[in-house]
């Protein structure tokens, strides 16, 4: 936990410095080139961006600790509500992606491992690998082209009408979720396959087989449990990498999530928003890593019960 | 002493890079991947002189023509030949991504060797920094950095190099950790080799296979990242015929039925990253056994 | 064409000398009926009067607006997300002003045909030298909070906008034109504007062209975004920053009853998703679409494109104070390489008007049509290059921003100048980087030897003539320094007389063609897209979207 | 009565890169019900393949391509998957090496054992009781507690007991044990073997016992088969085969062993020259012919039959000529090194701990020893006793704790190599346990040697070349080997390279850390001979670390016994072996199985090795000592007991009360 906090602190410094390396001034960037200089100066003073860097950092971090994420330069209003909405939206999209990909990925990995070296394995490996490395915007555009424009099966925008029911929301989120699913599928399947193969080759599996246990029982009781442990922690840490993909997907499908929040903040040089967005991802990373460790420890008796007595 | 025989050399497999190469040639993934990658490298190097049209020459009266026998992949908004642009479009990304990857490998290897070999406080502090960087997706780091430093190819290069270096460092570190426990390191210490010699001459050659594989995988991700950044407008800048950039400029047209302006670029990116990862896959399964 | 002199005489009665001069010009045939209407409106001649005059002169009445739509329903439109908080004082971007236009109104409407039409002001008139303009306000106007609009609100609004302390975006219009305190209440429904200098186009400064000048109550609320009190046909229902807004019909509206029950705005970060949303049926109107993106919809029968001519353009500057463009012959040569009709047809899909390397676009009334249009002439360009001693060509860099079609335009220029041996490197940066600090020495925009910058629409060319071209102008990226030009522009701005304006314009146009500090190859139209069958959607080239009389 | 297991001309092949490689070739043997059959052979002989073939559990690329396997008269090759499961459920069980990995790490012990009952159709309600019983049967003292434990919470010995419990729970007719004690400490190994012995009598299960360790087989089995290159070359009753081998390979193996009674001063060890043929190699004639001193033209061209005569069999053309081998190769020892009383290395009060606070591991405590010029000091003790840490401290690879004193040739030695003089560093070198780890696999042999010579001796150019050549020839490496990388060399060759490198700087003290434990016995013999020879010619002192008391005894002049980081006993080799000695030494010695299978009363140790983070008070050995004096040993540190010839030990027992070896020290087997 201390380590996670230390990591977060380092991250905050990196982010803040990153946000303030920019030459020039915030007011000008916000108001645009043609705005009057007087307006720019007033704005800079109002936002406190004419103060020394250290003061700004301390002010920022102090605000952060007390839950005040600062004022958006662009919207002149608190960052927090924007961030919350964005996080919630992204969580929905991520959830759809996860719900689709986790079972698929694990299943793919398990099947590949069980048919190791055969056609099914090779196909799954190559497909998984290819899916993992093709950028989201590429698969996204191809999907839009095929399912949104040619076949017209799915809406090509992720935004739904206000007050739409969960099913409608889900319907809108499926197409955007697929590129994320593709990215994660190969990764999870690969991990699951590796874990499975290790477990299948393990002596304890041999023990189970030689006990005369039936094949399904061997897999279910002895192999899966040990095979999927590392996969679980990998899945958890993927949450954050998912966000990298969210930036592109949310832009492509016009979805107001954390990715597009960060992207627009970056474009508009709305640093409080950008910093808060990026910090929230850092915090999310720390949190998921922590939870993954907990989960891993919960499932792994080696950690749960410590060493030999 | 008569009972001490002169040992006969055991039947041991030929070893070394020549053998690795021979085994790689037997890997279908590697061969297919290498063919794809070499194709694009060829396009990047010679493309400009081979393509049927000047990829930059406009022909406003023939804009947005669908694929035809003259323009195999159609034309774009300015009437430029999409086929020629796709072929030449390999150039920038295949310059930026490999250089960035090389930089990150050098940085990451040096860092990983140091962390793994020295351990202790150096390892702890570096690990925290690595964690801090890894807490963010590369695209976000790049956004932050490019926003702060301004968009330029150089910045993209540096950002990718610095955000991939920790990942490579982590791989190298764990490989080094298992090497450091081996006695040949102790043996080197016992003949008072200096640290640099131990790191780079003793340990490095033995951790090269994972580094090579990781570098190849990173190259795939570097291309992934550069393409993505170009797509969102923070990567390679116009007027390059770069794929990500072309897609970014033209994807609004797909609704109007002008799919050829983006689809071929999409396929180009996909084939290149898949090719590179097939190479990595082939290398991994061949070198790691 | 028969001229009804008796009617004219009646109409001339009580008119100011300027107005009578305008009428004279019309009678003489110095300008067309359209131009008369446009300019007459600026001078405050009311529409019925103008109509009367034109019919008296024999033009017949202007056709009435499109057929009336059916009331009710919700209009969903897409627009670019406002860059900042929606605050009439500070809004500086298209996204923000479109939102302003839903609930706020200005004194004057700068109509799509560039005429100034009464909105919250019923009429207006300048004094003899054009330094004081008197505006009569409409009497039955209520704010959304129920309060009646009076001269006090108008004075407060303009004092706020012209106060340097407030940092208003309108200062860019008012600096040197209107100062704080210059707006004076005469009675509850009469306001006088005492200007810093004579200005023949002042009504445009309080029109929709100066979008910050929507009239809002004297007591300006801190959290304006939460209430958005204005006088417009729609009242705010809900505003969600970055996401969208919804407005409902203002039942107390002073004008014709608004047709739609509701207006829903959805904010988009970019144009592509709007196209997809329109095609997917999620929205009915796209408030604005650059040509580059509109291509996808141009030939689609399901959609109608409303093309509004505008003075918006991509300004190419060449620095007149340093090589390689120090010699005006080089600048002329560059300008001569461009095939403008082809660019308009190919790059702009015909949705643009040809430019003649000055801000005077064909649609401005003051533009002098007698100045010949510059055309592509490679041979002459080569000669000029030879004459300037750079026949062998040279290498230089074109620095510009990544915005709209500029990168493509840059490529076209790059290819065009290749013909005369100029090897043009492109350095295309994001907007923030390009404009930098927007002061000399800290801005690629102002410091580069050649660049392309986007200029938005203005109802009159004054701003285009001053800031980017006058000696010491804050946006003078060409570093153009010409005393003769400066004097001409001063005369142009002060002149209340269309004929003299046009005469000066002719001189300015000729001077600019000769000097060529800037290339204005085309003025691009403002494109709004609606579902086929939609009526009453009124966009302005500035970025307003008037939906009061719209129906689907 | 049908046999429990019988192989009928069994052949097994593996498909490697599209080629079939024959691993077992025509193996025929049968094990009667209740009989214990041992299968020995060096690594690569096909022992494990035999074991797994018996359960029809071959790797994915392996298949039976000849002959039959009958269990209880049933041809298991013909069984349906269900029948095969039944076979495994009820008739055959297997126990193998590394019990830690044989148990599922994520299931409690109780659950894993109960699974056997589940399969046997025992009602769920009875599982806990049955599990408890079976665990008690394998002498687990608190079965209820162990049932709730996870494998990683148990010691290696306990894990193997659990594995055995699972194996015997179904009361199988056949139990296959594949190296069940390899990797366990001698004391633990002895316990496990005791247990198996005990159970066997109780259950009357037939046993196929596979091991590379002849002594273990000798102890456990009724009959023994010897495998060589996938072929059964000899089979006989245990006492027969070790006393009177009828195949040159068996004889060779026996003569390689540094058994009691042999030492470097008396005779060199016999070796078996050459290498095992690789699997799949085309062989004409006798497989062993290339390595056989008796081989003649017939042997090289005609493959001998496995000739069965009165209860034994040999696959040799000349089974009667085996004793001729003695005359061929019983070499005289090399001239012994000149041992003098000059102390070359002195260690006093050496301590080393890792970590801090409650996690502080005190791996070495107050260790003192003296090494004299030209002598070999054997260092023995269970794993975890700190032997290797001690070696690393002496080498300067680990910095000893404050207050430790190391002196080399009278001069103080700094804690790390970096602070030592070049002379000191080059004078104290090591031969590591595992040459795979000790040799950089990226470097050629030449490079390793030349770098060491260049760096530590400072030779350049021709002088260095000459030195490399002489080193290589001293360890019997040829020019060709110099350009090889380690992966091109066999285990024995690699260890020669490691030895050559260690000798490159002319060390005066050479630490040999388990120098032969990774090697087969035939190779081990050659390496031990080489070490003995080099010591004699180069006048080096050795510190020999080994868990193999035979090896220690063969090479050592003096022996030090370590336990939990402390020196419990040190003295002349013979004195330490024969006693009186420390109770711990007695336990160690008695746990070593001998070839004659003589079962002497073993000194049993109870409990597991305590943690170095929580050392017992008083005498560190008291928690396991069979001679513990309550109230004294667990309270006071033991005094030094000084016996004759510098034989010192730490014990509360009076010298006359100390245990002594009660078995005949001289040769336990008499070679023909």
């Amino acid at each position: 936990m201390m380590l996670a906090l230390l990591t977060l602190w380092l991250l905050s410094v990196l982010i803040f410095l990153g946000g303030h390396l920019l030459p020039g001034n915030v007011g000008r960037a916000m108001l645009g080139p043609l705005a009057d200089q007087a307006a720019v100066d007033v704005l800079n003073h109002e936002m406190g961006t004419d103060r020394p860097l250290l003061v700004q950092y301390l002010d920022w971090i102090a605000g952060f600790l007390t839950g005040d994420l600062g004022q958006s330069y662009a919207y002149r209003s608190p960052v927090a509500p924007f961030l919350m909405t964005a996080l919630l939206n992204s969580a929905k999209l991520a959830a759809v992606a996860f719900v689709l990909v986790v079972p698929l990925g694990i299943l793919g990995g398990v099947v590949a491992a069980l048919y190791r070296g055969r056609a099914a394995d090779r196909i799954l490996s190559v497909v998984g690998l290819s899916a993992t490395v093709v950028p989201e915007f590429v698969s996204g555009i191809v999907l839009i082209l095929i399912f949104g424009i040619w076949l017209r099966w799915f809406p090509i925008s992720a935004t739904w009408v206000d007050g739409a029911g969960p099913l409608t929301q889900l319907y809108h989120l499926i197409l955007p979720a697929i590129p994320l699913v593709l990215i994660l599928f190969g990764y999870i399947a690969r991990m699951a396959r590796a874990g499975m193969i290790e477990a299948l080759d393990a002596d304890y599996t041999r023990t189970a087989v030689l006990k005369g246990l039936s094949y399904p029982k061997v897999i279910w009781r002895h192999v899966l449990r040990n095979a999927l442990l590392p996969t679980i922690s990998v899945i958890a840490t993927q949450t954050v990498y998912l966000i990298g993909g969210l930036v592109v997907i949310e832009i492509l499908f016009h979805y107001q999530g954390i990715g597009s929040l960060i992207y627009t903040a970056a474009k508009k040089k709305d640093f409080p928003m950008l910093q808060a967005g990026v910090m929230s991802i850092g915090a999310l990373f720390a949190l998921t890593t922590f939870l993954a460790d907990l989960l891993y420890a919960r499932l792994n008796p080696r950690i749960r019960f410590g060493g030999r007595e | 002493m008569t009972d001490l025989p002169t040992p006969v050399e055991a039947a041991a497999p030929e070893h070394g890079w020549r053998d690795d190469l021979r085994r790689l040639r037997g890997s279908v993934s590697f061969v297919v991947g290498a063919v794809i990658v070499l194709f694009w490298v060829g396009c990047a190097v010679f493309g400009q002189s081979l393509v049927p049209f000047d990829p930059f020459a406009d022909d406003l009266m023939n804009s947005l023509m669908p694929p035809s026998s003259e323009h195999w992949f159609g034309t774009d908004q300015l009437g430029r030949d999409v086929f020629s642009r796709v072929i030449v479009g390999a150039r920038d990304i295949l310059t930026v991504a490999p250089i960035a990857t090389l930089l990150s490998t050098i940085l990451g290897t040096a860092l990983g060797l140091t962390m793994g070999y020295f351990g202790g406080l150096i390892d702890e502090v570096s690990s925290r920094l690595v964690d801090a960087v890894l807490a963010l997706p590369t695209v976000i780091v790049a956004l932050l950095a490019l926003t702060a430093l301004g968009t330029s190819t150089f910045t993209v290069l540096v950002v990718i190099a610095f955000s991939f270096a920790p990942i490579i460092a982590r791989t190298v570190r764990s490989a080094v950790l298992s090497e450091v426990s081996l006695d040949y390191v102790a043996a080197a210490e016992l003949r008072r080799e200096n640290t640099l010699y131990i790191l780079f001459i003793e340990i490095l050659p033995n951790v090269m296979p994972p580094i090579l594989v990781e570098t190849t995988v990173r190259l795939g991700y570097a291309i992934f990242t550069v393409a993505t950044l170009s797509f969102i407008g923070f990567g390679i800048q116009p007027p390059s015929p770069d794929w990500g950039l072309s897609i970014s400029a033209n994807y609004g047209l797909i609704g109007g039925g002008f799919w050829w302006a983006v689809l071929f670029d999409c396929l180009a990116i996909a084939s290149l990253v898949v090719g590179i990862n097939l190479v990595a896959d082939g290398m991994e399964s061949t070198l790691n056994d | 064409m028969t001229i009804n002199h008796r009617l004219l005489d009646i109409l001339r009665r009580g008119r100011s000398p300027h107005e009578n001069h305008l009428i004279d010009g019309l009678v003489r045939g110095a300008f067309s009926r359209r131009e008369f209407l446009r300019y007459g409106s600026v001078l405050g001649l009311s529409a019925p009067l103008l109509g009367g005059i034109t019919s008296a002169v024999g033009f017949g009445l202007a056709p009435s607006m499109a057929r009336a739509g059916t009331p009710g329903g919700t209009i969903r439109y897409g627009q670019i997300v406002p860059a900042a908080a929606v605050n009439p004082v500070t809004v500086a971007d298209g996204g923000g002003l479109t939102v302003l236009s839903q609930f706020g109104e200005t004194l004057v409407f700068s109509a799509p045909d560039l005429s100034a039409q009464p909105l919250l002001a019923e009429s207006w008139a300048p004094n003899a030298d054009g330094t004081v303009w008197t505006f009569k306000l409409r009497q039955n106007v209520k704010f959304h909070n129920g309060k009646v609009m009076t001269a006090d609100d108008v004075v407060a609004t303009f004092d706020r906008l012209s106060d340097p302390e407030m940092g208003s975006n309108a200062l860019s219009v008012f600096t040197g034109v209107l100062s704080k305190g210059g707006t004076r209440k005469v009675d509850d429904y009469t306001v006088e504007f005492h200007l810093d200098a004579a200005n023949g186009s002042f009504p445009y400064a309080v029109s929709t062209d100066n979008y910050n000048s929507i009239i809002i109550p004297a007591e300006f609320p801190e959290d304006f975004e939460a209430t958005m009190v204005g006088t417009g046909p729609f009242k705010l229902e809900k505003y969600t920053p970055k996401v969208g807004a919804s407005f409902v019909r203002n039942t107390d509206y002073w004008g014709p009853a608004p047709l739609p029950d509701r207006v829903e705005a959805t904010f988009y970060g970019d144009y592509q998703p709007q196209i997809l949303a329109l095609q997917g049926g999620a929205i009915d109107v796209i408030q604005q679409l650059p040509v580059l993106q509109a291509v996808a919809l141009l030939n689609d029968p399901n959609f109608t494109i409303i093309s509004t001519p505008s003075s918006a353009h991509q300004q190419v500057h060449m620095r007149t104070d340093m090589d390689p463009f120090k010699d005006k012959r080089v600048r002329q040569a560059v300008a001569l390489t461009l095939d403008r009709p082809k660019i308009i047809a190919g790059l702009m899909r015909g949705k643009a008007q040809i430019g003649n390397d000055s801000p005077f676009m064909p649609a401005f009334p003051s533009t002098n049509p007698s100045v010949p249009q510059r055309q592509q002439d490679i041979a002459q360009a080569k000669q000029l290059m030879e004459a300037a001693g750079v026949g062998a060509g040279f290498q230089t860099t074109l620095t510009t921003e990544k915005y709209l079609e500029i990168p493509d335009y840059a490529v076209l220029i790059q290819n065009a100048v290749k013909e005369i041996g100029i090897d043009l490197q492109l350095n295309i940066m994001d907007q923030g980087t390009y404009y930098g600090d927007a002061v000399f020495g800290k801005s690629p925009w102002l410091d580069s030897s050649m660049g392309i910058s986007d200029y938005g629409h203005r109802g009159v060319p004054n701003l285009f003539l001053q800031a980017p071209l006058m000696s010491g102008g804050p946006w003078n990226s060409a570093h153009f320094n010409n005393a003769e030009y400066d004097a001409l522009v001063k005369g142009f701005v002060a002149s209340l007389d269309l004929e003299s304006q046009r005469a000066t314009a002719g001189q300015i146009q000729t001077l600019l063609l000769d000097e060529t500090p800037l290339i204005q190859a085309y003025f691009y139209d403002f494109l709004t897209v609606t579902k086929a069958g939609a009526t009453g959607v009124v966009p302005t080239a500035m970025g307003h979207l008037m939906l009061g009389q719209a129906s689907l | 009565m049908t046999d429990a297991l019988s192989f009928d001309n069994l052949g097994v092949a593996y498909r490697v890169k599209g080629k079939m490689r024959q691993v077992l070739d025509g193996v025929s043997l049968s094990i009667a019900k209740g009989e214990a059959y041992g299968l020995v052979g060096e690594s690569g002989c096909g022992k494990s393949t035999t074991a797994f073939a018996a359960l029809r559990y071959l790797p994915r690329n392996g298949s039976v391509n000849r002959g039959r396997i009958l269990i209880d008269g049933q041809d298991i090759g013909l069984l349906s998957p269900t029948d095969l499961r039944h076979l495994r459920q009820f008739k055959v069980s297997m126990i193998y090496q590394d019990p830690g990995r044989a148990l599922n790490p994520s299931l409690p012990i109780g659950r894993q054992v109960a699974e056997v009952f589940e399969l046997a159709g025992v009602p769920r309600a009875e599982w806990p009781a049955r599990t408890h019983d079976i665990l008690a049967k394998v002498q687990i003292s608190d079965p209820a507690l162990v049932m709730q434990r996870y494998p990683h919470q148990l010691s290696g010995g306990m894990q193997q007991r659990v594995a055995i419990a699972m194996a015997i729970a179904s009361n199988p007719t056949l139990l296959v044990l594949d190296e069940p004690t390899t990797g366990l400490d001698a004391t633990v190994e002895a316990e496990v073997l005791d247990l198996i012995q005990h159970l066997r009598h109780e259950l009357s299960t037939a046993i196929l016992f596979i091991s590379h360790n002849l002594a273990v087989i000798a102890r456990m089995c009724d009959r023994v088969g010897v495998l060589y290159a996938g072929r059964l070359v000899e089979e006989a009753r245990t006492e027969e085969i070790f006393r009177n081998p009828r195949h040159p390979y068996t004889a060779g193996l026996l003569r390689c062993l540094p058994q009691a009674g042999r030492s470097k001063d008396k005779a060199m060890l016999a070796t078996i020259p050459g290498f095992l043929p690789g699997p799949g190699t085309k062989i004409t004639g006798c497989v062993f012919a290339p390595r056989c001193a008796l081989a003649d033209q017939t042997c090289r061209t005609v493959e001998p039959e496995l000739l069965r005569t009165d209860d034994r069999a040999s696959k040799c053309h000349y089974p009667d000529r085996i004793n001729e081998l003695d005359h061929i190769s019983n070499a005289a020892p090399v001239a012994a090194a000149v041992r003098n009383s000059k102390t070359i290395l002195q260690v006093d009060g050496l301590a080393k701990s890792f970590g801090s606070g409650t996690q502080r591991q005190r791996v070495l405590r107050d260790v003192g020893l003296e090494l004299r010029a030209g002598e070999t000091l054997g260092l023995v003790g269970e794993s975890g006793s700190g032997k290797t840490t001690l070696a690393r401290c002496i080498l300067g690879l680990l910095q000893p704790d404050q207050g430790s004193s190391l002196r080399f040739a009278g001069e103080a030695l700094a804690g790390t190599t970096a602070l030592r003089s070049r002379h000191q560093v080059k004078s104290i070198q090591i031969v590591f346990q595992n040459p795979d780890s000790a040799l950089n696999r990226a470097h050629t042999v030449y490079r390793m040697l030349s770098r060491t010579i260049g760096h530590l001796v400072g030779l350049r150019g021709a002088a260095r070349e000459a030195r490399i050549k002489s080193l290589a020839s001293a360890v019997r490496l040829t020019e060709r080997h110099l350009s090889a990388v380690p992966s091109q060399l066999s285990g024995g060759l690699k260890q020669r390279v490691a030895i050559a490198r260690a000798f490159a700087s002319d060390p005066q003290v050479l630490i040999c850390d388990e120098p032969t434990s990774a090697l087969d016995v035939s190779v081990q013999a050659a390496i031990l001979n080489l070490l003995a020879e080099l010591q004699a010619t180069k006048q080096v002192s050795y510190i020999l670390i080994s868990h193999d008391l035979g090896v220690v005894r063969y090479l050592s002049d003096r022996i030090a016994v370590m336990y939990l980081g402390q020196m419990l006993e040190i003295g002349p080799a013979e004195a330490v072996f024969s006693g009186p000695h420390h109770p711990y030494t007695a336990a160690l010695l008695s746990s070593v199985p001998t070839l004659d299978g003589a079962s002497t009363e073993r000194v049993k140790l109870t409990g597991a090795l305590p943690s170095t983070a929580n050392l017992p008070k008083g005498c560190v050995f008291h928690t396991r000592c069979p001679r513990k004096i309550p109230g004294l040993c667990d309270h006071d540190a033991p005094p030094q007991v000084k016996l004759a010839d510098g034989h010192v030990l730490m014990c509360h027992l009076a010298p006359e009360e100390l245990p002594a070896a009660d078995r005949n020290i001289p040769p336990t087997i008499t070679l023909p």
Side-chain angles (χ1 to χ4, degrees), chain D residues 62-106:
Chain D
S63 60
V64 173
N65 61 355
R66 195 184 314 156
R68 294 186 306 161
I69 304 160
L70 302 171
I71 289 180
D72 227 359
Q74 247 181 331
D75 183 346
I76 64 166
L78 305 175
L79 294 178
S80 70
T82 322
D83 291 340
L84 185 63
R85 274 213 314 280
H86 272 273
L87 179 87
R88 290 172 180 166
Q89 280 165 14
F90 300 110
K91 291 200 171 155
V92 201
S93 292
M94 183 166 176
I95 295 163
Y96 31 78
Q97 202 179 337
D98 202 349
R101 289 166 45 179
L103 300 174
N104 189 330
S106 58

Side-chain angles (χ1 to χ4, degrees), chain C residues 34 37-47 50 62-63 65 106-124 135 138 203-204 206-209 254 538 546:
Chain C
R34 258 173 54 131
L37 284 180
R38 215 179 273 145
Y39 202 74
S41 68
V42 177
L43 290 181
L45 300 177
S46 70
L50 285 172
M65 286 279 269
T106 48
L107 295 178
V108 177
F109 176 43
S110 172
D113 63 357
L114 299 182
S115 64
Q117 294 181 0
L119 203 57
L120 292 179
E122 276 181 324
S123 64
W124 51 87
F135 279 68
R138 213 173 278 284
Y204 285 100
V206 296
S207 78
T208 42
D209 280 358
W254 57 267
V538 182
M546 319 283 200

Side-chain angles (χ1 to χ4, degrees), chain D residues 362 365 563-566 608-625 628 633-638:
Chain D
R362 301 166 73 181
R365 275 206 305 169
Y563 182 79
L564 276 184
Q566 276 184 310
L609 200 64
S611 153
T612 48
N614 188 16
L615 289 172
K617 267 181 75 175
C619 173
V620 284
F621 185 54
H622 84 254
T623 57
R624 300 170 74 198
C625 183
K628 173 186 164 187
C633 291
D634 50 13
H635 193 267
D636 298 332

